Amino acid sequence: MVDTTYSFFLHLLILSLTLFTILHLLTRHRPSSTKTQTPCPQSYPLIGNIIGFLRNRHRFHDWVTDMLSTTPSLTLQVTGFLNLSHGVCTANPTTVEHIIRSNFNNYIKGNRYTSVLQELLGGGIFNSDGDVWLLQRKVASHEFSSRSLRMFMSDTVELQLCKSLVPYLLSCVGDVVDLQMVLRKFSFDNVCNVAFGVDSCFLTSNDSRYQSFVQAFDVAVEHSFNRFMSPLPAVWKIKRYFNIGNERNYKQAIETINQFAMDVIKSKETQTDYKTNEDLLSRFMASSWNMGFDDTERRKFLRDIVISFILAGKDSTSTALTWFFWLLHGHPHCKHLIRKEFSTLTSPSGHIRPLNLTFDELKKLNYLHAALSESMRLFPPVPINSRLTVNDDILPDGTYVGKGWFADYSAYAMGRMERIWGSDCREFKPERWLDGDGVYQALDQYKYPVFHGGFRLCLGKEMAYLQMKSVVVAVLHEFEVEVVGGGGTTEKMVDPPYKLSIVLSMKNGLPVRLKKRQ
């Protein structure tokens, strides 16, 4: 009898503690109803938004867009399983400006972001806050503003087009080729030259060293995104602790990446003239000697910078170009206008010079600039960004954000909001970026956060446009690009074939058939 009574009270105590814990979790982050009227669509007690998320994982960005478009202020609340996480997501330009500029210090990368990418990016510029970020930002800002780096990047793109991309595509004429994969390899060759002065020749050769690095890098990026999207982060953290499953594969990929980066850095250190080299690694090495690092700290600092710039340059421009060529095939009149525009840029002999246009000449291509901007409005390379709050805050629309909440803003959703872009927001119309004289007009960065904005505005924005314009002019001058299965018409953009990852890659690549232009 005593044992039975003891067992009963023990179970009652456990049940009471469980109910208390659940109630605590449900109420600890719940804001007062007087603080916000921001909706939390498709959310249920205890399980939060997890059902809607699992049902719409394959179309995640369109699901978020659909929900945001129905909210009064283009902002919604998000609740995790058992309220273990809480946050907001917005497509409101005023709110975006508040998060990434006006109240910048309250919205940081935070441990939700940095813990996911720690192994890959370390303390690099895209994965740091405070003084660590500020130091790298100052050095990077100084270098990216220099004319010498701009000229070096321009020369690098021109060289890679002449010796790599165009010859490779010529060898593929008549065949079906995955243009997305070709552009990814070309971008990797380009970023290797710019980042650390190495010509990888990845597009035209099968060097095992670069092959293994790229494979490891792709595995690491894919796995990092899967960590982000995990409904229960505790699962991947447990697997990481025990070094099992995909976390074990991830660890092996990171080891390959680290070895590659350190080999490049040590090789650069043996070059007595590296201080006069133009690549980013050489520039940062020259700056790092006065930062008080020992050898180990300096190499770790440089490693994080190198990997960060590879992440920024390897897939972002190739992803943007992939969607651009897809859209262009579905809008042949735009292709005609682009060709007509660059045909005006001729040499003194009257011949078009598509492979060696200068930076200033490329800036004159207003319609092409508009078309690229319009393509990225609809298909931003980085479709969503996240921050973590330091303290409680009230957003400009009245939404309450609690300390430790995440605050996401979706560039993908913003490009599809009628209240921002008008009733034709889902149509590809480069003309919306041009004034009455056909001159490109840049728009508010908070309305168009494709290159982020505020104090973290992408330093490589101009360089990205330079590379993309150069590639488009070279390819369209030499080839007719026929997308197998058809291009991005308005009808096909209703359900775009993207793959869920850190960058908005095209699912199953972009198969095209190339024809040489006469």
Side-chain angles (χ1 to χ4, degrees):
M1 181 67 179
V2 175
D3 290 341
T4 303
T5 304
Y6 175 80
S7 178
F8 170 78
F9 280 108
L10 180 61
H11 281 86
L12 182 62
L13 177 62
I14 292 173
L15 179 61
S16 300
L17 288 172
T18 302
L19 290 173
F20 174 81
T21 302
I22 292 173
L23 288 171
H24 173 68
L25 290 170
L26 287 172
T27 59
R28 63 174 180 166
H29 288 309
R30 181 172 293 169
S32 161
S33 60
T34 61
K35 293 180 180 178
T36 180
Q37 297 297 320
T38 302
C40 186
Q42 299 189 30
S43 180
Y44 304 93
L46 293 179
I47 59 175
N49 299 102
I50 193 169
I51 291 180
F53 168 74
L54 293 175
R55 283 178 176 172
N56 293 277
R57 187 183 176 95
H58 65 289
R59 58 181 298 273
F60 174 77
H61 298 298
D62 290 286
W63 175 56
V64 171
T65 300
D66 292 344
M67 289 191 294
L68 284 168
S69 65
T70 63
T71 61
S73 63
L74 303 182
T75 302
L76 57 83
Q77 286 191 49
V78 184
T79 55
F81 184 68
L82 291 179
N83 268 31
L84 293 173
S85 64
H86 219 301
V88 296
C89 183
T90 188
N92 187 319
T94 304
T95 302
V96 171
E97 193 273 342
H98 178 85
I99 292 172
I100 63 180
R101 189 180 186 282
S102 298
N103 203 9
F104 174 77
N105 291 330
N106 193 53
Y107 294 90
I108 62 175
K109 293 285 185 175
N111 59 9
R112 176 176 179 261
Y113 189 96
T114 57
S115 63
V116 166
L117 291 168
Q118 181 60 42
E119 294 94 331
L120 178 61
L121 297 182
I125 191 171
F126 304 125
N127 201 43
S128 58
D129 295 300
D131 292 340
V132 175
W133 168 78
L134 187 59
L135 172 65
Q136 296 182 64
R137 179 76 181 188
K138 284 182 177 179
V139 176
S141 181
H142 171 73
E143 298 298 347
F144 272 86
S145 63
S146 69
R147 180 173 177 81
S148 61
L149 180 61
R150 188 172 67 185
M151 295 303 297
F152 172 67
M153 288 184 170
S154 178
D155 292 343
T156 298
V157 174
E158 179 185 330
L159 179 64
Q160 292 296 321
L161 284 171
C162 293
K163 66 171 283 190
S164 176
L165 182 62
V166 171
Y168 181 83
L169 292 178
L170 283 170
S171 71
C172 298
V173 168
D175 299 328
V176 174
V177 62
D178 181 0
L179 188 58
Q180 177 170 256
M181 183 57 67
V182 170
L183 292 170
R184 288 184 69 198
K185 290 184 176 182
F186 170 78
S187 293
F188 177 74
D189 286 339
N190 196 63
V191 78
C192 281
N193 272 278
V194 171
F196 39 84
V198 173
D199 191 354
S200 61
C201 301
F202 187 54
L203 177 59
T204 55
S205 69
N206 293 308
D207 189 319
S208 59
R209 183 172 60 132
Y210 295 108
Q211 184 78 36
S212 60
F213 171 77
V214 171
Q215 289 176 348
F217 200 88
D218 288 345
V219 167
V221 170
E222 185 75 15
H223 185 71
S224 296
F225 183 77
N226 289 336
R227 282 180 171 183
F228 268 122
M229 299 299 288
S230 174
L232 294 173
V235 174
W236 70 258
K237 292 180 180 180
I238 291 171
K239 291 165 73 175
R240 179 178 64 179
Y241 180 81
F242 288 104
N243 193 30
I244 58 175
N246 50 12
E247 285 291 330
R248 181 183 180 87
N249 298 333
Y250 179 62
K251 183 178 180 181
Q252 293 170 346
I254 293 297
E255 290 172 354
T256 300
I257 292 169
N258 289 342
Q259 186 61 55
F260 176 86
M262 286 301 172
D263 286 347
V264 170
I265 291 168
K266 290 176 181 178
S267 174
K268 183 72 69 174
E269 288 174 342
T270 64
Q271 301 174 17
T272 56
D273 62 342
Y274 75 83
K275 291 186 179 180
T276 61
N277 291 343
E278 298 290 346
D279 61 271
L280 288 170
L281 176 57
S282 295
R283 291 167 179 265
F284 273 92
M285 283 181 68
S287 301
S288 67
W289 290 106
N290 299 321
M291 294 180 182
F293 294 135
D294 61 31
D295 287 347
T296 301
E297 290 172 336
R298 185 175 62 257
R299 286 171 180 165
K300 176 65 169 60
F301 172 77
L302 294 171
R303 176 264 178 215
D304 293 346
I305 287 174
V306 167
I307 298 304
S308 294
F309 280 116
I310 290 177
L311 178 66
K314 174 179 172 292
D315 290 333
S316 55
T317 53
S318 62
T319 296
L321 285 168
T322 298
W323 290 107
F324 178 79
F325 281 110
W326 183 68
L327 286 167
L328 214 57
H329 186 75
H331 299 80
H333 69 285
C334 295
K335 185 188 303 183
H336 169 73
L337 291 174
I338 291 170
R339 283 196 174 124
K340 181 180 179 181
E341 182 178 56
F342 73 66
S343 68
T344 62
L345 301 177
T346 60
S347 66
S349 63
H351 296 295
I352 300 172
R353 301 173 294 108
L355 297 181
N356 58 352
L357 296 177
T358 66
F359 184 86
D360 291 334
E361 286 175 324
L362 289 168
K363 287 184 70 173
K364 297 177 182 178
L365 300 177
N366 286 281
Y367 189 85
L368 176 54
H369 199 105
L372 287 165
S373 299
E374 179 71 351
S375 176
M376 289 187 287
R377 179 184 72 84
L378 291 165
F379 298 102
V382 181
I384 195 165
N385 261 281
S386 185
R387 296 289 185 268
L388 200 70
T389 53
V390 177
N391 295 301
D392 292 356
D393 191 27
I394 302 294
L395 299 178
D397 62 12
T399 297
Y400 169 81
V401 185
K403 177 181 179 180
W405 287 22
F406 60 86
D408 296 349
Y409 59 95
S410 172
Y412 183 93
M414 293 180 77
R416 287 163 169 74
M417 290 295 153
E418 284 194 26
R419 279 176 272 176
I420 299 177
W421 297 97
S423 59
D424 61 353
C425 62
R426 291 176 181 263
E427 298 177 35
F428 178 69
K429 287 187 174 182
E431 291 76 13
R432 75 175 79 240
W433 296 84
L434 303 173
D435 65 12
D437 297 320
V439 178
Y440 176 82
Q441 299 296 308
L443 296 177
D444 184 348
Q445 60 183 271
Y446 308 110
K447 176 180 176 180
Y448 181 74
V450 170
F451 291 92
H452 313 305
F455 299 108
R456 285 187 181 263
L457 179 68
C458 176
L459 293 171
K461 178 180 177 179
E462 280 196 17
M463 308 307 173
Y465 272 111
L466 166 71
Q467 179 178 334
M468 290 188 291
K469 285 181 178 180
S470 299
V471 170
V472 172
V473 171
V475 171
L476 291 187
H477 177 70
E478 296 285 344
F479 307 99
E480 290 290 350
V481 182
E482 177 186 335
V483 177
V484 177
T489 60
T490 302
E491 294 74 24
K492 288 191 175 183
M493 282 193 285
V494 173
D495 185 22
Y498 58 75
K499 176 184 177 182
L500 211 56
S501 185
I502 287 180
V503 294
L504 196 71
S505 301
M506 187 170 284
K507 188 178 181 180
N508 301 320
L510 180 63
V512 302
R513 183 174 284 104
L514 299 170
K515 298 179 181 178
K516 185 74 172 69
R517 290 187 71 220
Q518 299 301 317

mmCIF file of all heavy atoms in Angstrom, residues 125-146:
data_model
loop_
_atom_site.group_PDB
_atom_site.id
_atom_site.type_symbol
_atom_site.label_atom_id
_atom_site.label_comp_id
_atom_site.label_asym_id
_atom_site.label_seq_id
_atom_site.Cartn_x
_atom_site.Cartn_y
_atom_site.Cartn_z
ATOM 1 N N ILE A 125 33.605 37.713 -41.661
ATOM 2 C CA ILE A 125 32.813 38.938 -41.696
ATOM 3 C C ILE A 125 31.308 38.672 -41.774
ATOM 4 O O ILE A 125 30.507 39.470 -41.298
ATOM 5 C CB ILE A 125 33.276 39.828 -42.875
ATOM 6 C CG1 ILE A 125 32.667 41.230 -42.796
ATOM 7 C CG2 ILE A 125 32.957 39.157 -44.216
ATOM 8 C CD1 ILE A 125 33.253 42.208 -43.786
ATOM 9 N N PHE A 126 30.899 37.537 -42.347
ATOM 10 C CA PHE A 126 29.474 37.235 -42.471
ATOM 11 C C PHE A 126 28.927 36.476 -41.267
ATOM 12 O O PHE A 126 27.746 36.163 -41.215
ATOM 13 C CB PHE A 126 29.216 36.411 -43.736
ATOM 14 C CG PHE A 126 29.712 37.068 -44.987
ATOM 15 C CD1 PHE A 126 30.576 36.417 -45.844
ATOM 16 C CD2 PHE A 126 29.332 38.359 -45.307
ATOM 17 C CE1 PHE A 126 31.052 37.031 -46.995
ATOM 18 C CE2 PHE A 126 29.792 38.987 -46.451
ATOM 19 C CZ PHE A 126 30.662 38.314 -47.299
ATOM 20 N N ASN A 127 29.803 36.172 -40.309
ATOM 21 C CA ASN A 127 29.372 35.360 -39.172
ATOM 22 C C ASN A 127 29.856 35.955 -37.854
ATOM 23 O O ASN A 127 30.120 35.236 -36.894
ATOM 24 C CB ASN A 127 29.919 33.928 -39.314
ATOM 25 C CG ASN A 127 29.138 32.918 -38.507
ATOM 26 O OD1 ASN A 127 27.909 32.956 -38.486
ATOM 27 N ND2 ASN A 127 29.832 32.013 -37.843
ATOM 28 N N SER A 128 29.970 37.294 -37.810
ATOM 29 C CA SER A 128 30.485 37.932 -36.605
ATOM 30 C C SER A 128 29.722 39.213 -36.312
ATOM 31 O O SER A 128 29.047 39.774 -37.181
ATOM 32 C CB SER A 128 31.984 38.218 -36.746
ATOM 33 O OG SER A 128 32.232 39.035 -37.879
ATOM 34 N N ASP A 129 29.860 39.677 -35.092
ATOM 35 C CA ASP A 129 29.234 40.911 -34.637
ATOM 36 C C ASP A 129 30.271 41.753 -33.907
ATOM 37 O O ASP A 129 31.406 41.320 -33.682
ATOM 38 C CB ASP A 129 28.069 40.614 -33.674
ATOM 39 C CG ASP A 129 26.917 39.886 -34.346
ATOM 40 O OD1 ASP A 129 26.349 40.453 -35.299
ATOM 41 O OD2 ASP A 129 26.581 38.770 -33.920
ATOM 42 N N GLY A 130 29.876 42.960 -33.530
ATOM 43 C CA GLY A 130 30.698 43.781 -32.661
ATOM 44 C C GLY A 130 32.051 44.143 -33.246
ATOM 45 O O GLY A 130 32.201 44.397 -34.450
ATOM 46 N N ASP A 131 33.068 44.145 -32.372
ATOM 47 C CA ASP A 131 34.405 44.597 -32.764
ATOM 48 C C ASP A 131 35.041 43.690 -33.813
ATOM 49 O O ASP A 131 35.786 44.163 -34.684
ATOM 50 C CB ASP A 131 35.307 44.671 -31.530
ATOM 51 C CG ASP A 131 34.885 45.772 -30.565
ATOM 52 O OD1 ASP A 131 34.178 46.697 -31.012
ATOM 53 O OD2 ASP A 131 35.257 45.706 -29.377
ATOM 54 N N VAL A 132 34.774 42.380 -33.734
ATOM 55 C CA VAL A 132 35.346 41.434 -34.702
ATOM 56 C C VAL A 132 34.839 41.754 -36.097
ATOM 57 O O VAL A 132 35.612 41.806 -37.068
ATOM 58 C CB VAL A 132 35.000 39.980 -34.318
ATOM 59 C CG1 VAL A 132 35.501 39.016 -35.393
ATOM 60 C CG2 VAL A 132 35.596 39.630 -32.974
ATOM 61 N N TRP A 133 33.530 41.976 -36.203
ATOM 62 C CA TRP A 133 32.944 42.342 -37.501
ATOM 63 C C TRP A 133 33.448 43.702 -37.966
ATOM 64 O O TRP A 133 33.827 43.871 -39.129
ATOM 65 C CB TRP A 133 31.419 42.375 -37.397
ATOM 66 C CG TRP A 133 30.775 43.016 -38.591
ATOM 67 C CD1 TRP A 133 30.581 42.459 -39.816
ATOM 68 C CD2 TRP A 133 30.296 44.361 -38.688
ATOM 69 N NE1 TRP A 133 29.996 43.365 -40.668
ATOM 70 C CE2 TRP A 133 29.811 44.543 -40.000
ATOM 71 C CE3 TRP A 133 30.221 45.429 -37.784
ATOM 72 C CZ2 TRP A 133 29.251 45.742 -40.431
ATOM 73 C CZ3 TRP A 133 29.676 46.631 -38.216
ATOM 74 C CH2 TRP A 133 29.200 46.775 -39.532
ATOM 75 N N LEU A 134 33.490 44.681 -37.047
ATOM 76 C CA LEU A 134 33.857 46.043 -37.406
ATOM 77 C C LEU A 134 35.282 46.112 -37.951
ATOM 78 O O LEU A 134 35.552 46.818 -38.937
ATOM 79 C CB LEU A 134 33.717 46.962 -36.191
ATOM 80 C CG LEU A 134 33.905 48.466 -36.444
ATOM 81 C CD1 LEU A 134 32.891 48.969 -37.459
ATOM 82 C CD2 LEU A 134 33.782 49.241 -35.128
ATOM 83 N N LEU A 135 36.199 45.356 -37.335
ATOM 84 C CA LEU A 135 37.582 45.339 -37.801
ATOM 85 C C LEU A 135 37.666 44.846 -39.237
ATOM 86 O O LEU A 135 38.315 45.473 -40.089
ATOM 87 C CB LEU A 135 38.423 44.443 -36.881
ATOM 88 C CG LEU A 135 39.866 44.163 -37.329
ATOM 89 C CD1 LEU A 135 40.675 45.451 -37.334
ATOM 90 C CD2 LEU A 135 40.511 43.113 -36.434
ATOM 91 N N GLN A 136 37.003 43.715 -39.520
ATOM 92 C CA GLN A 136 37.042 43.155 -40.869
ATOM 93 C C GLN A 136 36.335 44.062 -41.866
ATOM 94 O O GLN A 136 36.776 44.212 -43.014
ATOM 95 C CB GLN A 136 36.397 41.766 -40.870
ATOM 96 C CG GLN A 136 37.139 40.748 -40.034
ATOM 97 C CD GLN A 136 36.480 39.391 -40.108
ATOM 98 O OE1 GLN A 136 36.409 38.770 -41.158
ATOM 99 N NE2 GLN A 136 35.983 38.921 -38.969
ATOM 100 N N ARG A 137 35.250 44.677 -41.435
ATOM 101 C CA ARG A 137 34.491 45.560 -42.312
ATOM 102 C C ARG A 137 35.326 46.769 -42.720
ATOM 103 O O ARG A 137 35.314 47.180 -43.894
ATOM 104 C CB ARG A 137 33.215 46.016 -41.599
ATOM 105 C CG ARG A 137 32.331 46.964 -42.411
ATOM 106 C CD ARG A 137 31.560 46.254 -43.482
ATOM 107 N NE ARG A 137 30.744 47.186 -44.252
ATOM 108 C CZ ARG A 137 29.851 46.812 -45.154
ATOM 109 N NH1 ARG A 137 29.659 45.530 -45.404
ATOM 110 N NH2 ARG A 137 29.152 47.697 -45.829
ATOM 111 N N LYS A 138 36.074 47.333 -41.781
ATOM 112 C CA LYS A 138 36.895 48.496 -42.091
ATOM 113 C C LYS A 138 37.975 48.153 -43.105
ATOM 114 O O LYS A 138 38.206 48.887 -44.066
ATOM 115 C CB LYS A 138 37.527 49.041 -40.810
ATOM 116 C CG LYS A 138 36.568 49.831 -39.927
ATOM 117 C CD LYS A 138 37.276 50.383 -38.698
ATOM 118 C CE LYS A 138 36.333 51.235 -37.858
ATOM 119 N NZ LYS A 138 37.009 51.767 -36.644
ATOM 120 N N VAL A 139 38.649 47.017 -42.872
ATOM 121 C CA VAL A 139 39.707 46.615 -43.794
ATOM 122 C C VAL A 139 39.118 46.306 -45.172
ATOM 123 O O VAL A 139 39.640 46.748 -46.201
ATOM 124 C CB VAL A 139 40.465 45.379 -43.242
ATOM 125 C CG1 VAL A 139 41.507 44.897 -44.248
ATOM 126 C CG2 VAL A 139 41.129 45.719 -41.920
ATOM 127 N N ALA A 140 38.029 45.532 -45.196
ATOM 128 C CA ALA A 140 37.406 45.148 -46.464
ATOM 129 C C ALA A 140 36.868 46.372 -47.205
ATOM 130 O O ALA A 140 37.007 46.487 -48.428
ATOM 131 C CB ALA A 140 36.284 44.149 -46.217
ATOM 132 N N SER A 141 36.271 47.303 -46.469
ATOM 133 C CA SER A 141 35.718 48.501 -47.092
ATOM 134 C C SER A 141 36.814 49.325 -47.751
ATOM 135 O O SER A 141 36.644 49.848 -48.865
ATOM 136 C CB SER A 141 34.993 49.345 -46.035
ATOM 137 O OG SER A 141 34.442 50.498 -46.613
ATOM 138 N N HIS A 142 37.946 49.430 -47.079
ATOM 139 C CA HIS A 142 39.079 50.170 -47.647
ATOM 140 C C HIS A 142 39.566 49.529 -48.944
ATOM 141 O O HIS A 142 39.821 50.219 -49.939
ATOM 142 C CB HIS A 142 40.224 50.221 -46.634
ATOM 143 C CG HIS A 142 41.503 50.773 -47.196
ATOM 144 N ND1 HIS A 142 41.681 52.114 -47.472
ATOM 145 C CD2 HIS A 142 42.664 50.151 -47.563
ATOM 146 C CE1 HIS A 142 42.895 52.302 -47.975
ATOM 147 N NE2 HIS A 142 43.514 51.131 -48.047
ATOM 148 N N GLU A 143 39.678 48.188 -48.934
ATOM 149 C CA GLU A 143 40.187 47.492 -50.113
ATOM 150 C C GLU A 143 39.197 47.555 -51.283
ATOM 151 O O GLU A 143 39.579 47.784 -52.426
ATOM 152 C CB GLU A 143 40.508 46.034 -49.771
ATOM 153 C CG GLU A 143 41.595 45.853 -48.711
ATOM 154 C CD GLU A 143 42.939 46.414 -49.136
ATOM 155 O OE1 GLU A 143 43.119 46.737 -50.333
ATOM 156 O OE2 GLU A 143 43.820 46.559 -48.276
ATOM 157 N N PHE A 144 37.923 47.360 -50.985
ATOM 158 C CA PHE A 144 36.929 47.334 -52.054
ATOM 159 C C PHE A 144 36.703 48.715 -52.669
ATOM 160 O O PHE A 144 36.176 48.817 -53.777
ATOM 161 C CB PHE A 144 35.601 46.772 -51.541
ATOM 162 C CG PHE A 144 35.505 45.276 -51.642
ATOM 163 C CD1 PHE A 144 35.991 44.463 -50.629
ATOM 164 C CD2 PHE A 144 34.949 44.668 -52.753
ATOM 165 C CE1 PHE A 144 35.922 43.087 -50.722
ATOM 166 C CE2 PHE A 144 34.869 43.292 -52.862
ATOM 167 C CZ PHE A 144 35.356 42.491 -51.840
ATOM 168 N N SER A 145 37.077 49.752 -51.972
ATOM 169 C CA SER A 145 36.908 51.092 -52.521
ATOM 170 C C SER A 145 38.095 51.515 -53.377
ATOM 171 O O SER A 145 38.055 52.576 -54.019
ATOM 172 C CB SER A 145 36.722 52.109 -51.385
ATOM 173 O OG SER A 145 37.881 52.165 -50.564
ATOM 174 N N SER A 146 39.149 50.681 -53.410
ATOM 175 C CA SER A 146 40.342 51.050 -54.166
ATOM 176 C C SER A 146 40.150 50.774 -55.654
ATOM 177 O O SER A 146 39.575 49.769 -56.055
ATOM 178 C CB SER A 146 41.560 50.280 -53.648
ATOM 179 O OG SER A 146 41.453 48.910 -53.952
#
